Amino acid sequence: MKRVLGGIAALGIAALALTGCAANTGGGGDDDLITVGFAQTGSESGWRSANTESLKAALSEENGFELIFNAADNKQEAQIAAVRSFINQGVDAIVIAPITVDGWDDVLKEAKDAGIPVILEDRTVSASDDLYATWVGLDFKQEGKTAGEWVADNFGAEPTNLVILEGTTGSSAALDRATGFAEAIDGTSINVLDSQTGDFTRDGGKKVMEGFLQKYGSEIQVLFAHNDDMGLGALDAIKAAGLTPGEDIKIVTIDAVKDGMQALADGEFNYIVECNPLLGDQVADLVKKVLAGESVDKAYIVPDGAFTQEDAIELLPTRPY
Ligand code: GZL
Protein backbone atom coordinates (compact mmCIF):
# COMPACT_ATOMS: atom_id res chain seq x y z
CA MET A 1 0.00 0.00 0.00
CA LYS A 2 1.33 3.48 -0.76
CA ARG A 3 1.60 5.29 2.57
CA VAL A 4 -0.64 8.39 2.70
CA LEU A 5 1.58 11.45 3.16
CA GLY A 6 -1.35 13.87 3.13
CA GLY A 7 -1.94 13.27 6.83
CA ILE A 8 1.54 14.52 7.72
CA ALA A 9 1.18 17.55 5.46
CA ALA A 10 -2.26 18.28 6.92
CA LEU A 11 -0.93 17.99 10.48
CA GLY A 12 1.90 20.37 9.60
CA ILE A 13 -0.52 22.88 8.18
CA ALA A 14 -2.82 22.41 11.17
CA ALA A 15 0.08 23.21 13.52
CA LEU A 16 0.72 26.38 11.54
CA ALA A 17 -2.96 27.25 11.79
CA LEU A 18 -2.95 26.84 15.57
CA THR A 19 0.13 29.07 15.95
CA GLY A 20 -0.81 31.37 13.07
CA CYS A 21 -1.60 34.90 14.21
CA ALA A 22 -4.15 35.84 11.61
CA ALA A 23 -5.27 39.42 12.09
CA ASN A 24 -8.63 39.68 13.72
CA THR A 25 -10.71 40.31 10.68
CA GLY A 26 -13.96 40.62 12.64
CA GLY A 27 -17.20 40.35 10.70
CA GLY A 28 -20.34 38.39 11.64
CA GLY A 29 -21.40 37.98 15.28
CA ASP A 30 -18.55 37.94 17.85
CA ASP A 31 -15.98 40.45 16.56
CA ASP A 32 -13.09 38.20 17.55
CA LEU A 33 -14.40 35.33 15.42
CA ILE A 34 -13.97 34.92 11.67
CA THR A 35 -17.41 34.34 10.15
CA VAL A 36 -17.30 31.67 7.42
CA GLY A 37 -20.20 30.60 5.21
CA PHE A 38 -19.66 26.99 4.07
CA ALA A 39 -21.73 25.81 1.07
CA GLN A 40 -21.46 22.00 1.09
CA THR A 41 -22.79 19.88 -1.81
CA GLY A 42 -25.24 17.91 0.35
CA SER A 43 -25.06 14.57 2.19
CA GLU A 44 -24.96 12.14 -0.73
CA SER A 45 -22.26 9.77 0.53
CA GLY A 46 -20.13 8.55 3.41
CA TRP A 47 -17.28 10.60 1.97
CA ARG A 48 -19.41 13.75 2.15
CA SER A 49 -20.30 13.10 5.80
CA ALA A 50 -16.61 12.69 6.68
CA ASN A 51 -15.73 15.86 4.76
CA THR A 52 -18.49 17.84 6.51
CA GLU A 53 -17.35 16.61 9.93
CA SER A 54 -13.76 17.54 9.13
CA LEU A 55 -14.66 21.09 8.12
CA LYS A 56 -17.06 21.64 11.03
CA ALA A 57 -14.36 20.47 13.48
CA ALA A 58 -11.73 22.80 11.97
CA LEU A 59 -14.01 25.85 11.50
CA SER A 60 -14.95 25.76 15.17
CA GLU A 61 -15.33 28.57 17.69
CA GLU A 62 -12.31 27.39 19.67
CA ASN A 63 -10.28 27.70 16.45
CA GLY A 64 -11.54 31.29 16.05
CA PHE A 65 -14.46 30.80 13.65
CA GLU A 66 -18.21 31.36 13.57
CA LEU A 67 -19.47 28.83 10.99
CA ILE A 68 -22.66 29.22 8.96
CA PHE A 69 -23.23 25.83 7.30
CA ASN A 70 -25.50 24.92 4.37
CA ALA A 71 -25.86 21.51 2.67
CA ALA A 72 -27.44 21.94 -0.77
CA ASP A 73 -29.00 18.48 -1.24
CA ASN A 74 -26.77 17.88 -4.29
CA LYS A 75 -28.49 20.66 -6.27
CA GLN A 76 -26.36 23.45 -7.72
CA GLU A 77 -29.13 26.05 -7.66
CA ALA A 78 -29.51 25.53 -3.91
CA GLN A 79 -25.75 25.79 -3.43
CA ILE A 80 -25.56 29.05 -5.41
CA ALA A 81 -28.49 30.42 -3.38
CA ALA A 82 -26.58 29.59 -0.18
CA VAL A 83 -23.52 31.50 -1.44
CA ARG A 84 -25.70 34.53 -2.27
CA SER A 85 -27.14 34.36 1.23
CA PHE A 86 -23.62 34.37 2.72
CA ILE A 87 -22.78 37.44 0.62
CA ASN A 88 -25.92 39.22 1.87
CA GLN A 89 -25.00 38.35 5.46
CA GLY A 90 -21.59 39.96 4.98
CA VAL A 91 -19.53 36.96 6.08
CA ASP A 92 -15.74 37.31 6.21
CA ALA A 93 -15.04 34.34 3.91
CA ILE A 94 -16.95 31.75 1.88
CA VAL A 95 -15.97 28.07 1.47
CA ILE A 96 -17.57 26.08 -1.37
CA ALA A 97 -17.44 22.39 -2.32
CA PRO A 98 -18.83 23.02 -5.83
CA ILE A 99 -21.22 20.29 -6.96
CA THR A 100 -20.45 20.76 -10.67
CA VAL A 101 -17.68 22.55 -12.56
CA ASP A 102 -19.85 24.99 -14.56
CA GLY A 103 -22.30 27.76 -13.59
CA TRP A 104 -20.22 29.55 -10.91
CA ASP A 105 -18.93 32.67 -12.72
CA ASP A 106 -21.77 35.04 -11.78
CA VAL A 107 -21.97 34.28 -8.07
CA LEU A 108 -18.18 34.21 -7.72
CA LYS A 109 -18.07 37.68 -9.33
CA GLU A 110 -20.73 38.85 -6.85
CA ALA A 111 -18.59 37.57 -3.93
CA LYS A 112 -15.50 39.28 -5.38
CA ASP A 113 -17.40 42.55 -5.87
CA ALA A 114 -18.53 42.30 -2.22
CA GLY A 115 -14.88 41.88 -1.18
CA ILE A 116 -15.52 38.40 0.27
CA PRO A 117 -12.79 35.84 -0.56
CA VAL A 118 -13.88 32.37 -1.72
CA ILE A 119 -11.92 29.23 -0.83
CA LEU A 120 -12.84 26.10 -2.83
CA GLU A 121 -12.48 22.65 -1.26
CA ASP A 122 -12.90 19.17 -2.72
CA ARG A 123 -14.16 19.65 -6.29
CA THR A 124 -13.09 22.38 -8.74
CA VAL A 125 -14.85 24.85 -11.06
CA SER A 126 -14.34 25.94 -14.70
CA ALA A 127 -14.52 29.64 -13.70
CA SER A 128 -11.35 31.72 -13.97
CA ASP A 129 -9.08 31.30 -10.95
CA ASP A 130 -9.04 35.05 -10.35
CA LEU A 131 -12.58 34.58 -9.05
CA TYR A 132 -11.49 32.54 -6.02
CA ALA A 133 -8.57 32.78 -3.60
CA THR A 134 -7.46 29.14 -3.57
CA TRP A 135 -8.55 25.49 -3.83
CA VAL A 136 -7.63 22.45 -1.75
CA GLY A 137 -8.66 19.00 -2.91
CA LEU A 138 -7.63 15.76 -4.56
CA ASP A 139 -6.14 14.67 -7.87
CA PHE A 140 -9.26 13.03 -9.29
CA LYS A 141 -7.61 12.21 -12.62
CA GLN A 142 -4.87 10.29 -10.79
CA GLU A 143 -7.50 8.48 -8.72
CA GLY A 144 -9.20 7.32 -11.94
CA LYS A 145 -5.83 6.41 -13.44
CA THR A 146 -4.85 4.34 -10.39
CA ALA A 147 -8.15 2.45 -10.59
CA GLY A 148 -7.67 1.92 -14.33
CA GLU A 149 -4.10 0.69 -13.91
CA TRP A 150 -5.30 -1.93 -11.41
CA VAL A 151 -7.94 -3.11 -13.92
CA ALA A 152 -5.43 -3.09 -16.80
CA ASP A 153 -2.78 -4.95 -14.78
CA ASN A 154 -5.20 -7.63 -13.56
CA PHE A 155 -7.61 -8.07 -16.46
CA GLY A 156 -6.30 -6.14 -19.47
CA ALA A 157 -4.48 -9.00 -21.18
CA GLU A 158 -7.68 -10.94 -21.97
CA PRO A 159 -10.98 -9.63 -23.42
CA THR A 160 -12.85 -8.47 -20.28
CA ASN A 161 -16.28 -6.82 -20.05
CA LEU A 162 -16.58 -3.90 -17.63
CA VAL A 163 -19.34 -1.51 -16.55
CA ILE A 164 -18.90 1.90 -14.91
CA LEU A 165 -21.01 3.71 -12.27
CA GLU A 166 -20.18 7.39 -12.84
CA GLY A 167 -20.37 10.08 -10.20
CA THR A 168 -22.52 13.22 -10.36
CA THR A 169 -22.79 14.40 -13.97
CA GLY A 170 -20.66 17.51 -14.57
CA SER A 171 -18.73 17.23 -11.31
CA SER A 172 -14.96 17.55 -11.54
CA ALA A 173 -14.62 14.31 -9.54
CA ALA A 174 -16.63 12.32 -12.11
CA LEU A 175 -15.18 14.05 -15.17
CA ASP A 176 -11.56 13.67 -14.11
CA ARG A 177 -11.88 10.11 -12.77
CA ALA A 178 -13.44 9.09 -16.08
CA THR A 179 -10.56 10.69 -18.00
CA GLY A 180 -7.86 9.05 -15.86
CA PHE A 181 -9.52 5.63 -16.00
CA ALA A 182 -9.98 5.76 -19.79
CA GLU A 183 -6.33 6.69 -20.33
CA ALA A 184 -5.18 3.79 -18.12
CA ILE A 185 -7.18 1.09 -19.95
CA ASP A 186 -6.52 2.49 -23.43
CA GLY A 187 -4.89 -0.18 -25.62
CA THR A 188 -5.87 -3.09 -23.33
CA SER A 189 -8.52 -5.78 -23.98
CA ILE A 190 -10.94 -4.15 -21.51
CA ASN A 191 -14.36 -3.70 -23.15
CA VAL A 192 -16.55 -1.01 -21.53
CA LEU A 193 -20.10 -2.40 -21.95
CA ASP A 194 -21.80 0.63 -20.38
CA SER A 195 -21.21 3.72 -18.25
CA GLN A 196 -23.98 5.64 -16.43
CA THR A 197 -24.26 8.03 -13.50
CA GLY A 198 -25.43 6.80 -10.11
CA ASP A 199 -24.97 10.35 -8.73
CA PHE A 200 -22.50 9.16 -6.05
CA THR A 201 -25.33 7.63 -3.97
CA ARG A 202 -25.97 4.04 -2.79
CA ASP A 203 -29.49 4.11 -4.20
CA GLY A 204 -28.22 5.41 -7.53
CA GLY A 205 -25.56 2.71 -7.69
CA LYS A 206 -28.08 -0.03 -6.90
CA LYS A 207 -30.63 1.14 -9.49
CA VAL A 208 -28.09 1.56 -12.33
CA MET A 209 -26.43 -1.79 -11.51
CA GLU A 210 -29.86 -3.49 -11.61
CA GLY A 211 -30.26 -2.09 -15.12
CA PHE A 212 -26.79 -3.24 -16.16
CA LEU A 213 -27.51 -6.76 -14.84
CA GLN A 214 -30.86 -6.93 -16.65
CA LYS A 215 -29.17 -5.88 -19.90
CA TYR A 216 -25.80 -7.73 -19.69
CA GLY A 217 -26.25 -10.32 -16.94
CA SER A 218 -23.25 -12.57 -16.34
CA GLU A 219 -21.38 -10.95 -19.26
CA ILE A 220 -20.26 -8.34 -16.71
CA GLN A 221 -16.88 -9.32 -15.28
CA VAL A 222 -15.66 -6.07 -13.66
CA LEU A 223 -17.38 -3.03 -12.10
CA PHE A 224 -15.64 0.34 -11.69
CA ALA A 225 -17.63 2.65 -9.38
CA HIS A 226 -16.54 6.30 -9.03
CA ASN A 227 -17.18 6.04 -5.28
CA ASP A 228 -17.65 3.44 -2.53
CA ASP A 229 -21.31 4.33 -1.94
CA MET A 230 -22.39 3.46 -5.49
CA GLY A 231 -20.33 0.27 -5.24
CA LEU A 232 -22.05 -0.60 -1.95
CA GLY A 233 -25.45 -0.06 -3.58
CA ALA A 234 -24.38 -2.26 -6.49
CA LEU A 235 -23.58 -5.10 -4.05
CA ASP A 236 -27.31 -5.46 -3.29
CA ALA A 237 -28.15 -5.69 -7.00
CA ILE A 238 -25.36 -8.20 -7.70
CA LYS A 239 -26.44 -10.47 -4.84
CA ALA A 240 -30.13 -10.17 -5.84
CA ALA A 241 -29.08 -11.43 -9.28
CA GLY A 242 -27.59 -14.53 -7.64
CA LEU A 243 -24.01 -13.46 -8.32
CA THR A 244 -21.11 -13.19 -5.84
CA PRO A 245 -19.48 -9.72 -5.68
CA GLY A 246 -15.69 -9.82 -5.57
CA GLU A 247 -15.72 -13.18 -7.38
CA ASP A 248 -18.25 -13.33 -10.26
CA ILE A 249 -17.90 -9.55 -10.66
CA LYS A 250 -14.63 -7.92 -9.56
CA ILE A 251 -15.18 -4.45 -8.07
CA VAL A 252 -12.88 -1.42 -7.87
CA THR A 253 -14.08 1.81 -6.24
CA ILE A 254 -12.76 5.18 -5.06
CA ASP A 255 -12.98 6.86 -1.62
CA ALA A 256 -11.96 4.24 1.03
CA VAL A 257 -14.59 5.22 3.62
CA LYS A 258 -15.15 2.74 6.46
CA ASP A 259 -18.05 0.84 4.84
CA GLY A 260 -16.05 0.53 1.62
CA MET A 261 -12.97 -0.73 3.45
CA GLN A 262 -15.18 -3.25 5.29
CA ALA A 263 -16.50 -4.54 1.93
CA LEU A 264 -12.89 -4.78 0.75
CA ALA A 265 -11.82 -6.66 3.88
CA ASP A 266 -14.79 -9.00 3.38
CA GLY A 267 -13.76 -9.71 -0.22
CA GLU A 268 -16.87 -8.09 -1.78
CA PHE A 269 -14.72 -5.26 -3.21
CA ASN A 270 -11.32 -6.08 -4.73
CA TYR A 271 -9.45 -2.75 -4.73
CA ILE A 272 -10.10 0.79 -3.46
CA VAL A 273 -8.35 4.02 -4.40
CA GLU A 274 -8.41 6.52 -1.54
CA CYS A 275 -9.89 10.02 -1.75
CA ASN A 276 -9.03 11.84 1.46
CA PRO A 277 -12.02 13.83 2.86
CA LEU A 278 -10.14 15.24 5.86
CA LEU A 279 -9.56 18.72 4.39
CA GLY A 280 -10.82 20.79 7.34
CA ASP A 281 -7.49 21.79 8.89
CA GLN A 282 -6.07 22.91 5.55
CA VAL A 283 -9.24 24.86 4.71
CA ALA A 284 -9.17 26.62 8.10
CA ASP A 285 -5.50 27.48 7.69
CA LEU A 286 -6.09 28.84 4.18
CA VAL A 287 -9.04 30.99 5.34
CA LYS A 288 -6.83 32.60 8.02
CA LYS A 289 -3.94 33.12 5.61
CA VAL A 290 -6.17 34.68 2.92
CA LEU A 291 -7.88 37.01 5.41
CA ALA A 292 -4.50 38.00 6.85
CA GLY A 293 -3.42 39.01 3.34
CA GLU A 294 -0.77 36.31 3.11
CA SER A 295 -0.01 34.97 -0.36
CA VAL A 296 -1.33 31.45 -1.05
CA ASP A 297 -1.09 29.11 -4.03
CA LYS A 298 -4.09 28.69 -6.30
CA ALA A 299 -4.20 24.91 -5.69
CA TYR A 300 -3.24 22.43 -2.95
CA ILE A 301 -3.46 18.71 -3.74
CA VAL A 302 -3.78 16.17 -0.91
CA PRO A 303 -2.09 12.84 -1.80
CA ASP A 304 -4.15 9.63 -1.81
CA GLY A 305 -3.32 5.96 -1.16
CA ALA A 306 -4.75 2.75 -2.66
CA PHE A 307 -5.68 -0.43 -0.84
CA THR A 308 -5.88 -4.21 -1.38
CA GLN A 309 -7.93 -6.61 0.73
CA GLU A 310 -4.89 -7.30 2.93
CA ASP A 311 -4.43 -3.55 3.49
CA ALA A 312 -8.08 -3.16 4.47
CA ILE A 313 -7.90 -5.99 7.01
CA GLU A 314 -4.79 -4.40 8.55
CA LEU A 315 -5.95 -0.76 8.47
CA LEU A 316 -9.69 -0.96 9.26
CA PRO A 317 -9.29 -0.80 13.06
CA THR A 318 -7.41 2.51 12.84
CA ARG A 319 -9.06 4.24 9.88
CA PRO A 320 -10.08 7.82 10.88
CA TYR A 321 -13.20 7.84 8.61
C1 GZL B 1 -14.49 13.52 -4.12
C2 GZL B 1 -15.90 13.90 -3.77
C3 GZL B 1 -16.84 12.82 -4.21
C4 GZL B 1 -16.60 11.49 -3.51
C5 GZL B 1 -18.00 11.00 -3.37
O1 GZL B 1 -13.61 14.47 -3.64
O2 GZL B 1 -16.28 15.11 -4.39
O3 GZL B 1 -18.16 13.25 -3.87
O4 GZL B 1 -15.78 10.61 -4.22
C6 GZL B 1 -18.72 12.28 -2.97
O5 GZL B 1 -18.18 9.96 -2.44
O6 GZL B 1 -20.08 12.17 -3.09
Side-chain angles (χ1 to χ4, degrees), residues 44-45 47-48 122-123 138 140 173 177 200 227 255 275:
E44 73 282 359
S45 64
W47 190 97
R48 190 62 54 197
D122 178 22
R123 301 176 192 171
L138 299 309
F140 301 129
R177 285 170 184 170
F200 280 134
N227 79 331
D255 275 351
C275 177

Side-chain angles (χ1 to χ4, degrees), residues 40-41 43-49 51 74 97-99 121-124 137-138 140 143 167-168 171-174 177 199-201 226-230 254-255 257 275-277 279:
Q40 180 60 292
T41 65
S43 53
E44 73 282 359
S45 64
W47 190 97
R48 190 62 54 197
S49 305
N51 180 248
N74 235 19
I99 291 172
E121 70 104 12
D122 178 22
R123 301 176 192 171
T124 55
L138 299 309
F140 301 129
E143 292 169 352
T168 300
S171 67
S172 58
R177 285 170 184 170
D199 209 17
F200 280 134
T201 65
H226 283 188
N227 79 331
D228 291 352
D229 284 61
M230 293 189 293
I254 298 176
D255 275 351
V257 294
C275 177
N276 190 336
L279 306 177

Side-chain angles (χ1 to χ4, degrees), residues 25 56 77 135 162 165 178 182 190 209 213 228 244 246 297 302 306:
T25 55
K56 282 184 174 177
E77 58 274 15
W135 165 78
L162 172 140
L165 293 171
I190 302 296
M209 193 65 193
L213 287 161
D228 291 352
T244 305
D297 294 344
V302 175

Side-chain angles (χ1 to χ4, degrees), residues 100-123:
T100 50
V101 289
D102 296 328
W104 291 98
D105 296 69
D106 291 347
V107 75
L108 291 177
K109 282 195 190 89
E110 290 164 32
K112 185 167 187 169
D113 293 346
I116 300 174
V118 172
I119 290 88
L120 301 180
E121 70 104 12
D122 178 22
R123 301 176 192 171

